[in-house]
Amino acid sequence: MRRLPVLRLIALLTGMLAVPAHAELVVVVHPDNPVGELRREQVVDLYTGRGTKFPAGNAVILIDHAADSELRAAFYRGLVGKTVAQINAYWARLLFSGRASPPIVLPSVAAVLDAVRKNRDAIAYLDSRDLDGRVKVVFRLK
Amino acid sequence: MTAVDPCPPLAEARQTRGKTHSHADQPRPSRIGPALFSLLCLALSAPAGAEEAPLGSPVRLSGFATLGVVHGDGGLSLLRDLSQPDTFHDGWSGRADSLLGVQMDAALSGDLHATAQLVLKERADPGLEQSLEWAFLRYRPTDGLALRAGRLGLDLHLLSDYRNVGYAYLWQRPIPEFYGPLVVYHFDGVDATYARPLGAGVLQAKLYGGVTSPAVPMGEQTAEVEFDAFAGGSLSYETDLWRLRFGYGHGRIGPEVDALKPLQQRLRDPAIAAAWPEAAGYADDISAKGKRFDFYSLGLAYDDDVWQVQAELGYMDSGWQRMQPATSAYLSLGRHMGAVTPYVALAAIRSEGDPETVTPPGGPGLDELYDTLRAFYQGAAFDQRTLTLGLRWDLRRDVALKLQWDHSWVKADGAGLWGWDDSIPPTRDEQIDLLSASLNFVF
């Protein structure tokens, strides 16, 4: 019984420490997309151009945020530990050697949400605070 | 009555291409023309993505450019690679590193994709046939498998198929000791790539094959070297931070190189046989017909948010007397400090054995022919080392500034990577300093 307040205190403290600039980054798809949850490696493969399809075999439409968005910097740093400049150089290599096509860049969070709602094969990442229940979360970046 | 379809099926276009090639003695119409045309037709006739709400246009235009200037002292001129003529005047060149590339990508469906890329830069033959770097269709039937057909980038070493894209790598230019001798950028043919996850990364195997005809300056002329077979493969393992790669390529020259024929004729001239009995033998010896090349390379790259390390080791076996077999290697170390990445690199190349020592003619009036022949044998012999210090500064998300200093030690009989003014190669060891600056864009 005496341990409970301690646990609550720990939970409270860690909770406070864990509040970052972005509440949490989540990877989302269309609600009708049959994909359940994606593993971290699967998300990395998609966002590095190494994988191009969902597990069910449908080709992904990869969506990204504007090149100077903070969300984008946070996503790539959290996912693969690289800066936006490094990611840009990486995609320049893939694009101009004809290996893969970089994600479609959309100008705003609203445009990204809209694209995922309207395209069954789209995939994107968002700040969890921008979720509105009309897209499906398949991965949480921790 | 019926309108002629301007867009023949692609298979037909490819067949035409094959036929053209088998009659190598006929005038050479552009081999890539029909295939590219079909490709464009396909792109234009493709239905817009079958999505409920197409995300923008299925056709994407993009490009890259480098605006660079380089200063060098001494009697040798930097060549970015051996497909480039000497561009230096009074120690300066604004053309050695500068280039412009544009690319068109078209998503024809979720699995089918078309790409064409045109690169304008200083090259021995600046025509469209050489400047069209890629024009291919890519098909992904299942995840992990990619099949491509058309004009494709030669994926021999780590940088081979993006060495025009200055924004995508650290240095001022691909390390000349490693990439300088490689004049083949693209080939017309097919490739297949299979990738599967393994541990924390992806294991990838690639096979390719086709034909290619790079143009290279040879003395005062431009030689088109027709490879009637160029094939190979690679095995690589890639994680978020590491890239490990083994590559192999094999090329075989088909018909005799036209640019050699006048020299061979003069060497075979019965009138000189008395004064220079060895001459006719040299005419046979310099022949390129049917000669083979083999390329082996091992590459390792590491890139995290602090360090960028890259090293490659390569061996080129050559059956053509123009080039001796050569070993080359480099090691590069860069450190990311915010937007600035200073780097240091060491590179070396060395030809095995010595170039053929030409027996001088015994009679008068043959000096020029003798010099031409010596230049042929020594023009592609390599023995040099370079220390490089530089800095890449990412000014914006799409522009990188690079500043670089190189110091090269070049042996007298191994200056084949450089341009020189005299008709014969340098006769003593040289040391050269290069200072370079460039702006590298993607758009």
Side-chain angles (χ1 to χ4, degrees), chain B residues 8 76 94 127 173 182 191 201 215 218 240 249 260 296 331 334 372 441:
Chain B
L76 299 179
R173 62 191 70 85
L182 193 62
D191 71 12
M218 196 182 286
D240 300 343
L260 283 178
Y296 305 83
L331 170 65
T372 307
F441 306 86

Side-chain angles (χ1 to χ4, degrees), chain B residues 183-215:
Chain B
V183 297
V184 179
Y185 276 74
H186 54 242
F187 64 95
D188 299 335
V190 293
D191 71 12
T193 307
Y194 181 69
R196 56 162 303 157
L198 178 73
V202 172
L203 183 69
Q204 185 170 290
K206 181 172 185 172
L207 288 172
Y208 60 85
V211 299
T212 183
S213 301

